[in-house]
Amino acid sequence: MVLTIIVIAIIAIIAIFLMTSYNGLVKYRNWVQEAWSQIDVQLKRRHDLIPNLVNTVKGYAEHERETLEGVVEARSQLVNGSPQERIDADNQIEGALKSIFALSESYPDLKANENFLNLQEQLTTTENKVAYSRQLYNKTVADYNIKLQSFPTNIMASMFNFKQEDLLSIPEEEREVPDVSF
Amino acid sequence: MLYQQIRDNKRKTILLVVLFSVLVLVVGWAIGYLFNNDWVSGIVITLIVLAIYIPITLKTAGSQVLNMSGSKEIQREDHPQLFGVVEELSLAARIPMPKVYIVNDPAPNAFATGIKPEKGAVAFTTGLLDRLNREELSGVAAHEIAHIRNYDIRLMTISVALVGVIVLVANIGSRMMLFGGGRRGGNNKNNPIIMILAILLVILAPLAAQFVKLAVSRNREYLADASAVELTRNPKGLIKALRKISQDPNDVKDAKEATASMYISYPFKKKRKKKSALWSTHPPMESRIEQLQNM
């Protein structure tokens, strides 16, 4: 009698443990997806804002064609390709946009253009959102991977085929939020 | 260094809250002992007062602070940059976008309220918005968002409520002593040493409670500064903002003593100079800046 109770208790404990560790993994995997979709939304938004910026700047600085073309070229990469490719495209655009914003210094009309200033603010906030979401994504992925590799959850993970996720690598100088002042 | 500091601060806070709870119960005990000659009745009465007082305070706290400060809610069109900055940082902190308020006041300052992240609100004075650039504004917004994410506002509200209860109970106690209420006749059974201790407790507890509350408040400022850097990865912005804020001599018009601990910097600059460190709601600006520089 006592023995059956003990056996049942042990089975129950194991079942509860398996359930919670499985649910934990599912939760983390969803968080990783959610964090990525956050980045996805912002990259798309950046993609949509760029033509407006290019059109605004074109009128003032026709001969800066090269800079503008660089932005437009990288732009399509923002919505296509693997996560790392899209992040790389975003870094490339970040550099090109910086030179466009710097360019406005030598075009007083452009610098005073309401539309341009508005776009500049919108692109800056979108870029910051990409950076912050990326930070959050990496943190979530790291938490998930730690859970995945730790004993005894790792047994559960291999049983149900939970895969490690890759961290997004960020060039060293991108670690800090761009120092933008108006 | 950064994570270490957040952990340290959290530990200290737990310690302070425990201290607080013990203090409340001890005062309850002392009053029960003095007037009812038993160990339990005072504690029971205190617990009942707590059970009523704390939920009410928590329910009303958020809207009260916003009303008292004279702030107005804004939409994205009113200040796109501020709205963008708050949105960015709530993303980084993984909390819902708080409501954004502006206080029409030339003194640069900011505060956050909301006892849980879903009800969060951040408020900035016009003086602050005029003087800070985007980077500095991000630092301040991150500090306020950190208060919301770390549940600081709930903690501060609870500690304000606990001080209220201690003061209330101790007041009743000292009045009863003065006017000879309660069942004085039964007191001769009491141990005189314990009685003196109990009387001292009733007199000193409100004072001690104030100190603990202020210590909690100062501690939370350090933690919010540290978390702000965790969010922005850029201590520079907050350092520059704190410098600008501390150099401004103006007081915030609509700030009250009761809400002073909510602001990013003590809103009564003129008074601050006269107060000693033990009585201040905020740590000295120099030491906050120094901590930030060490991150």
Side-chain angles (χ1 to χ4, degrees), chain B residues 262-280:
Chain B
M262 314 283 294
Y263 287 82
I264 186 168
S265 157
Y266 189 63
F268 309 114
K269 298 266 165 65
K270 288 154 196 159
K271 226 185 259 176
R272 168 103 203 213
K273 295 207 176 75
K274 291 180 211 141
K275 279 190 170 177
S276 79
L278 262 180
W279 284 110
S280 53

Side-chain angles (χ1 to χ4, degrees), chain A residues 36 43 80-89 137 168:
Chain A
W36 171 255
L43 289 178
N80 297 309
S82 72
Q84 188 60 53
E85 276 166 19
R86 294 172 62 188
I87 288 293
D88 289 342
Y137 178 83
L168 296 169

Side-chain angles (χ1 to χ4, degrees), chain B residues 29-38 41 169-170 172-187 190 195 199 202:
Chain B
W29 162 80
I31 288 176
Y33 185 77
L34 281 177
F35 300 105
N36 258 348
N37 240 335
D38 69 49
S41 65
V169 173
I172 297 170
S174 16
R175 241 157 251 203
M176 281 159 83
M177 274 193 273
L178 275 178
F179 300 110
R183 287 197 301 175
R184 262 261 153 104
N187 275 359
N190 289 351
M195 247 189 78
I199 293 173
V202 172

Side-chain angles (χ1 to χ4, degrees), chain B residues 20-52 162 165-166 169 198 201-202:
Chain B
F20 238 136
S21 322
V22 171
L23 197 62
V24 175
L25 292 180
V26 166
V27 172
W29 162 80
I31 288 176
Y33 185 77
L34 281 177
F35 300 105
N36 258 348
N37 240 335
D38 69 49
W39 302 76
V40 205
S41 65
I43 295 182
V44 170
I45 292 170
T46 318
L47 284 177
I48 292 172
V49 175
L50 278 180
I52 300 168
L162 285 171
V165 171
I166 291 177
V169 173
L201 255 172
V202 172

Side-chain angles (χ1 to χ4, degrees), chain B residues 146-166:
Chain B
H147 271 315
I148 297 177
R149 191 201 59 181
N150 298 343
Y151 288 85
D152 285 350
I153 294 135
R154 179 153 79 185
L155 180 82
M156 282 312 300
T157 313
I158 289 176
S159 65
V160 169
L162 285 171
V163 171
V165 171
I166 291 177

